[in-house]
């Protein structure tokens, strides 16, 4: 068994810290800063056994080199991106054995960046800026078709998979989701829960893949109601799921 906790960093980033219940070894995902991770390790009396990076953006990598040096920890990161701290390049399909922490699977999910990867660890999905609670990452380097394919790859995992994304963007995402699907009761209910959590300063993440499939419009591009809303926004018929996805992404980028 294992568990995962968030540490907040920068403006709205989450650094995820995973730990085996029976051990002292921990892994850190996307440490944009070193100090909060260091403080967590000391409070938990845990030792850092591995650092996982999903993509090259500084808010996900900024603390990696310092933590790696301090703890002699290996740094896994996308093999198709250039990140100075990475000494263990990873790519989709890799199975990595982490001493004291078990197995890790690597999934390619380009779109937000060209080489973005996600990591699946004992039912916990660390997906960086690809899949967000209620939304998805912006397309900085990849195409809409790539991002759509990446999200579909993640969507094919077990519905019980716990989703750990890189930012607390949930309220804005669900407000947009509600504009896309005003009749989705589950979305409305989820937005109310997220508002209550945020008003008390609680994280809305992790979420489950099942909940994303039920409420996240970017995973629901084949639903007639989502397609109809995207077509109305685009002013055109959208035949393919990736075209619906592209229209939703443009709609959200334009201020939702
Ligand atoms: Zn990013
Ligand atoms: Fe980010």
């Amino acid at each position: 068994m294992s568990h995962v906790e968030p540490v907040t960093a920068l403006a709205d980033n989450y650094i995820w810290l995973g730990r085996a219940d029976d051990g002292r070894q921990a892994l850190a995902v996307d440490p944009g800063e070193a100090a909060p991770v260091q403080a967590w390790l000391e409070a938990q009396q845990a030792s850092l056994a591995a650092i996982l990076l999903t993509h090259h953006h500084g808010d996900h990598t900024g603390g990696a080199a310092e933590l790696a040096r301090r703890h002699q920890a290996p740094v896994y990161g996308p093999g198709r991106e250039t990140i100075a701290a990475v000494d263990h390049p990873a790519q989709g399909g890799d199975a990595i054995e982490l001493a004291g922490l078990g197995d890790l699977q690597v999934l390619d999910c380009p779109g937000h960046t060209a080489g973005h990867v996600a990591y699946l660890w004992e039912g916990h999905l660390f997906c960086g800026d690809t899949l967000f609670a209620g939304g998805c990452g912006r397309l900085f380097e990849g195409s809409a078709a790539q991002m759509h394919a990446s999200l579909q790859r993640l969507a094919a995992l077990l519905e019980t998979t716990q989703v750990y994304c890189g930012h607390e963007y949930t309220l804005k995402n669900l407000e947009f989701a509600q504009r896309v699907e005003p009749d989705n009761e589950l979305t409305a209910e989820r937005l109310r829960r997220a508002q209550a959590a945020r008003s008390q300063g609680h994280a809305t993440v992790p979420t489950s893949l099942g909940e994303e499939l039920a409420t996240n419009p970017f995973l629901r591009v084949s639903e007639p109601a989502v397609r109809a809303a995207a077509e109305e926004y685009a002013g055109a018929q959208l035949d393919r799921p990736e075209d619906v996805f592209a229209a939703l992404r443009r709609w959200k980028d334009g201020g939702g």
Side-chain angles (χ1 to χ4, degrees):
M1 281 300 289
S2 55
H3 67 273
V4 178
E5 288 178 26
V7 159
T8 54
L10 304 167
D12 49 26
N13 277 77
Y14 286 126
I15 301 169
W16 295 104
L17 291 150
R19 193 171 175 189
D21 284 340
D22 55 356
R24 296 211 146 183
Q25 311 280 44
L27 58 79
V29 184
D30 284 353
E33 290 184 287
V37 175
Q38 189 58 35
W40 183 91
L41 291 166
E42 284 167 17
Q44 299 284 317
Q45 298 189 301
S47 69
L48 187 61
I51 297 168
L52 313 180
L53 306 180
T54 61
H55 65 293
H56 67 83
H57 287 161
D59 61 314
H60 298 251
T61 60
E66 183 184 334
L67 289 166
R69 203 164 44 237
R70 197 156 175 169
H71 298 274
Q72 308 290 312
V75 183
Y76 297 87
R80 287 189 278 149
E81 296 188 351
T82 304
I83 307 173
V86 170
D87 51 16
H88 287 63
Q91 51 188 316
D94 285 358
I96 296 164
E97 165 91 46
L98 296 176
L101 288 165
D103 287 336
L104 195 69
Q105 275 173 260
V106 184
L107 297 107
D108 276 328
C109 46
H112 177 68
T113 61
H116 199 300
V117 296
Y119 301 92
L120 184 63
W121 177 60
E122 309 212 327
H124 309 291
L125 177 68
F126 302 115
C127 49
D129 289 354
T130 296
L131 174 61
F132 285 126
C136 74
R138 284 175 184 261
L139 305 176
F140 285 123
E141 296 171 9
S143 66
Q146 265 182 329
M147 186 62 139
H148 170 66
S150 294
L151 290 171
Q152 290 301 309
R153 188 169 304 131
L154 301 183
L157 298 171
L158 291 176
E159 288 197 14
T160 52
T161 302
Q162 296 292 295
V163 176
Y164 301 83
C165 54
H167 293 269
E168 179 62 58
Y169 289 161
T170 313
L171 285 184
K172 284 220 157 61
N173 286 339
L174 291 175
E175 286 162 8
F176 176 71
Q178 207 170 33
R179 279 194 286 283
V180 176
E181 283 190 284
D183 298 329
N184 187 331
E185 299 280 341
L186 294 172
T187 302
E189 204 269 319
R190 186 180 180 190
L191 177 57
R192 283 194 293 275
R193 267 188 291 127
Q195 284 164 337
R198 293 309 294 153
S199 70
Q200 298 176 55
H202 296 155
T204 61
V205 192
T207 161
S208 70
L209 195 54
E211 182 156 47
E212 295 310 317
L213 291 168
T215 57
N216 186 330
F218 294 97
L219 297 185
R220 295 170 58 74
V221 293
S222 296
E223 290 291 319
V226 174
R227 191 174 83 182
E231 287 180 335
E232 194 178 328
Y233 168 78
Q237 190 177 322
L238 303 171
D239 292 321
R240 299 176 306 171
E242 60 261 46
D243 298 331
V244 176
F245 174 83
L248 287 181
R249 192 58 263 180
R250 280 198 309 277
W251 183 1
K252 177 82 166 44
D253 289 345

